[in-house]
């Protein structure tokens, strides 16, 4: 049986476009730090161990793509510097980061457990990503999802 997905082109695929921005290893690590409140270059570099030039490149890309914005600050007696803040586009990546974190916790955590947990500020319960259809049904199995062409699909 021929998959129906072969009937439309993926030349303009938004997953591929998103991975052009997010697909490098250090990008999600940088976003993890910013979501955790670490916004300054030197703090990110020390905390993550990412090489200086790699961090510069990741931050430059995330700013250029509108995921982060640079905010100036000046410590007393120091030169003007910038910290990095999430834009609305960046904030929309939160569920992606939570899903990657959950996957890593399930399959890659050390025997004693994961080093990072995220919890609901109001009640303290762990946060998890869930899939729901537009009518509100909980979707738990990949086989319950049916790929279909969107309005920007191009027929082959």
């Amino acid at each position: 049986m021929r998959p129906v997905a072969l009937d439309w082109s993926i030349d303009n695929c938004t997953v591929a476009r998103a991975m052009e921005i997010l697909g490098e290893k250090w990008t999600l690590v940088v976003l993890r730090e910013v979501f955790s409140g670490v916004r300054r270059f030197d703090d990110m570099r020390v905390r993550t161990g990412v090489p200086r030039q790699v961090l510069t490149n990741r931050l430059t890309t995330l700013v250029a793509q509108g995921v982060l914005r640079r905010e100036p600050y000046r410590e007393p007696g120091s030169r003007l510097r910038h910290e990095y803040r999430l834009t609305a586009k960046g904030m929309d990546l939160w569920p992606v980061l939570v899903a990657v974190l959950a996957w890593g916790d399930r399959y890659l955590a050390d025997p004693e457990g994961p080093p990072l947990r995220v919890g609901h500020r109001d009640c303290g319960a762990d946060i998890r990503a869930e899939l729901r259809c537009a009518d509100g049904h909980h979707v738990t199995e990949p086989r319950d999802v049916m790929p279909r062409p969107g309005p920007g699909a191009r027929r082959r």
Side-chain angles (χ1 to χ4, degrees):
M1 175 183 242
R2 184 176 187 276
V4 177
L6 293 175
D7 292 340
W8 67 87
S9 170
I10 56 167
D11 293 342
N12 61 342
C13 175
T14 56
V15 170
R17 290 176 181 173
M19 294 314 295
E20 286 177 17
I21 299 167
L22 303 174
E24 200 277 333
K25 167 188 170 181
W26 291 110
T27 301
L28 288 181
V29 172
V30 167
L31 289 172
R32 177 198 68 202
E33 294 305 306
V34 177
F35 274 111
S36 295
V38 179
R39 296 183 181 100
R40 295 182 178 180
F41 183 94
D42 288 336
D43 294 337
M44 281 185 223
R45 195 176 59 74
V46 168
R47 183 165 154 93
T48 64
V50 61
R52 181 177 290 280
Q53 190 59 52
V54 172
L55 180 56
T56 297
N57 293 345
R58 296 291 68 77
L59 290 169
T60 298
T61 296
L62 291 169
V63 169
Q65 291 296 325
V67 174
L68 298 176
R69 70 178 192 283
R70 289 170 32 121
E71 289 286 324
Y73 74 93
R74 183 187 309 258
E75 296 286 340
S78 296
R79 67 180 172 85
L80 181 71
R81 293 181 169 215
H82 292 87
E83 62 182 21
Y84 298 87
R85 301 277 181 150
L86 291 157
T87 62
K89 187 176 182 179
M91 288 291 220
D92 283 347
L93 286 167
W94 177 241
V96 174
L97 197 61
V98 169
V100 171
L101 178 65
W103 185 86
D105 289 352
R106 182 172 182 172
Y107 296 107
L108 305 171
D110 291 340
E112 58 270 18
L116 174 67
R117 298 187 83 151
V118 290
H120 186 222
R121 188 178 304 274
D122 288 346
C123 72
D126 286 345
I127 299 293
R128 65 176 178 257
E130 292 186 354
L131 297 177
R132 294 188 181 277
C133 73
D135 286 339
H137 301 112
H138 191 115
V139 180
T140 60
E141 299 298 322
R143 289 191 171 134
D144 293 339
V145 177
M146 178 181 60
R148 61 180 187 230
R154 298 178 185 143
R155 300 285 285 161
R156 287 186 178 248

